[in-house]
């Protein structure tokens, strides 16, 4: 049972009675994911990541020992293997780490699926369809040597999102009134702002590529002075051991300075996720 938000419905409850009955006569039950039914009896779909979310919700309803998510890679990598040739496969990581990686651009598993698993305390295994390897274990329990080593790891993985547009709005009026007007207009147009920074000089924020023209028209309609930076990317560093550790930002800036600055003119925004 889901909400009535068609194409992006949220699961409200799962009734596993029929599945449990069928297990009396069947060893394997195949169930279609990605879909549900609202309180009026209409079919709904769960949106991006709906199959992962369906699997984990069913696992929770059935009190499963764990849920396997099969994909085309052998587990969750330290970075996107299409961009980083020698990205390593993680043996274990925490729910919080994979949620942040997923929200910040990693597409191996949908964050809604991980959030359900975290709430219900169901371990996940992200595995390859083409291998018998157990892949990456995602759990909150630090009860093994693998889990402890992951928990103490400074940086677990790096996620990236490209194709962003950065909007810089000059503060030619009261700053409080300016950001209230700008963000109210963006919210009314259903434009999600990924990153924003408010300073005495104005407002800086980013929007996805498919929203920049609409954002531009909103800025024009408000008669604001602004500039747009195209082809921006966001890089996020995620790790359970980051919290309270001095020197992390310094190492990241140094790595970017030596590898990237000589090729690109970048504005760096560092967001470190630690728990």
């Amino acid at each position: 049972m889901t909400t009535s938000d068609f194409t992006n419905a949220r699961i409200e409850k799962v009734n596993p009675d029929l599945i449990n009955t069928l297990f009396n006569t069947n060893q394997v039950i195949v169930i279609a994911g990605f879909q549900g039914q609202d309180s009026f009896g209409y079919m709904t779909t769960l949106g991006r990541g709906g199959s992962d979310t369906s699997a984990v919700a069913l696992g929770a309803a059935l009190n499963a020992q764990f849920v396997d998510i099969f994909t085309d890679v052998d587990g969750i990598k330290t970075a996107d293997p299409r961009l980083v040739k020698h990205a390593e496969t993680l043996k274990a990581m925490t729910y919080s780490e994979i949620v942040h990686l997923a929200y910040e651009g990693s597409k191996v598993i949908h964050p809604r699926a991980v959030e359900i698993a975290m709430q219900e305390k169901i371990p996940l295994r992200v595995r390859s369809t083409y291998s018998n390897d157990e892949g990456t274990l995602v759990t909150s329990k630090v009860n093994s040597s693998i889990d402890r080593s992951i928990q103490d790891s400074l940086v677990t993985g790096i996620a990236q999102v490209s194709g962003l547009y950065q909007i810089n709005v000059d503060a030619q009026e009261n700053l409080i009134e300016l950001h209230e007007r700008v963000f109210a207009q963006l919210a009314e147009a259903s434009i999600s702002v990924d990153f924003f920074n408010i300073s005495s000089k104005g407002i800086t924020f980013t929007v996805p590529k498919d929203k920049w023209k609409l954002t531009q028209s909103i800025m024009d309609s408000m008669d604001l002075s602004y500039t747009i930076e195209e082809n921006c990317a966001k890089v996020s560093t995620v790790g359970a051991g980051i919290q309270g550790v001095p020197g992390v930002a310094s190492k990241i800036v140094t790595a970017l300075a030596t590898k990237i600055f000589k090729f690109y003119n970048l504005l760096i925004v560092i967001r470190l996720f630690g728990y």
Side-chain angles (χ1 to χ4, degrees), residues 48-92:
R48 180 177 170 266
S51 296
D52 292 349
T53 306
S54 299
V56 178
L58 285 167
L62 293 165
N63 296 314
Q65 292 181 331
F66 54 82
V67 173
D68 282 351
I69 302 294
F70 287 93
T71 180
D72 59 348
V73 294
D74 61 356
I76 300 169
K77 302 285 187 178
T78 52
D80 187 340
R82 295 170 297 181
L83 301 177
V84 181
K85 183 178 179 180
H86 300 294
E88 298 179 2
T89 302
L90 295 163
K91 292 298 182 183

Side-chain angles (χ1 to χ4, degrees), residues 220-242:
D220 291 338
S221 69
M222 299 174 68
D223 196 26
L224 297 174
S225 173
Y226 68 94
T227 59
I228 297 179
E229 297 286 343
E230 302 180 13
N231 300 319
C232 295
K234 175 184 68 174
V235 178
S236 302
T237 302
V238 176
I242 288 177

Side-chain angles (χ1 to χ4, degrees), residues 139-153:
T139 180
S140 62
K141 297 179 180 179
V142 186
N143 57 7
S144 69
S145 59
I146 292 180
D147 287 340
R148 279 194 292 271
S149 67
I150 294 299
Q151 186 72 19
D152 294 336
S153 176

Side-chain angles (χ1 to χ4, degrees), residues 13-256:
K13 64 179 180 179
V14 176
N15 184 347
D17 291 347
L18 178 58
I19 298 174
N20 284 322
T21 300
L22 292 174
F23 270 132
N24 293 326
T25 55
N26 297 271
Q27 290 185 338
V28 176
I29 300 172
V30 179
I31 304 167
F34 187 73
Q35 59 189 309
Q37 188 180 64
D38 69 5
S39 58
F40 301 101
Y42 294 112
M43 294 297 295
T44 60
T45 52
L46 305 183
R48 180 177 170 266
S51 296
D52 292 349
T53 306
S54 299
V56 178
L58 285 167
L62 293 165
N63 296 314
Q65 292 181 331
F66 54 82
V67 173
D68 282 351
I69 302 294
F70 287 93
T71 180
D72 59 348
V73 294
D74 61 356
I76 300 169
K77 302 285 187 178
T78 52
D80 187 340
R82 295 170 297 181
L83 301 177
V84 181
K85 183 178 179 180
H86 300 294
E88 298 179 2
T89 302
L90 295 163
K91 292 298 182 183
M93 63 192 311
T94 65
Y95 293 122
S96 296
E97 287 172 326
I98 186 57
V99 164
H100 280 301
L101 282 173
Y103 274 122
E104 297 306 318
S106 177
K107 296 181 173 60
V108 175
I109 185 171
H110 197 275
R112 277 199 290 173
V114 181
E115 287 169 354
I116 294 174
M118 180 165 53
Q119 291 167 5
E120 301 297 330
K121 296 181 173 58
I122 299 176
L124 299 178
R125 294 189 304 188
V126 180
R127 309 176 61 182
S128 171
T129 307
Y130 312 104
S131 169
N132 291 326
D133 190 86
E134 292 189 355
T136 302
L137 172 67
V138 182
T139 180
S140 62
K141 297 179 180 179
V142 186
N143 57 7
S144 69
S145 59
I146 292 180
D147 287 340
R148 279 194 292 271
S149 67
I150 294 299
Q151 186 72 19
D152 294 336
S153 176
L154 187 63
V155 174
T156 299
I158 297 173
Q160 61 85 30
V161 177
S162 58
L164 298 177
Y165 281 65
Q166 178 180 287
I167 317 297
N168 306 294
V169 184
D170 297 330
Q172 297 179 331
E173 58 183 85
N174 182 289
L175 187 59
I176 300 299
E177 294 181 0
L178 174 64
H179 76 69
E180 286 179 348
R181 284 207 305 138
V182 169
F183 293 130
Q185 290 288 330
L186 294 173
E188 187 174 337
S190 299
I191 297 175
S192 177
V193 177
D194 184 29
F195 160 81
F196 65 91
N197 180 47
I198 300 173
S199 70
S200 59
K201 295 182 180 180
I203 302 171
T204 297
F205 60 92
T206 60
V207 295
K209 184 176 182 180
D210 61 342
K211 297 291 185 181
W212 83 268
K213 288 187 177 180
L214 178 57
T215 303
Q216 185 178 36
S217 67
I218 292 173
M219 298 297 103
D220 291 338
S221 69
M222 299 174 68
D223 196 26
L224 297 174
S225 173
Y226 68 94
T227 59
I228 297 179
E229 297 286 343
E230 302 180 13
N231 300 319
C232 295
K234 175 184 68 174
V235 178
S236 302
T237 302
V238 176
I242 288 177
Q243 187 74 24
V245 178
V248 176
S250 174
K251 290 181 179 180
I252 293 174
V253 171
T254 300
L256 290 172

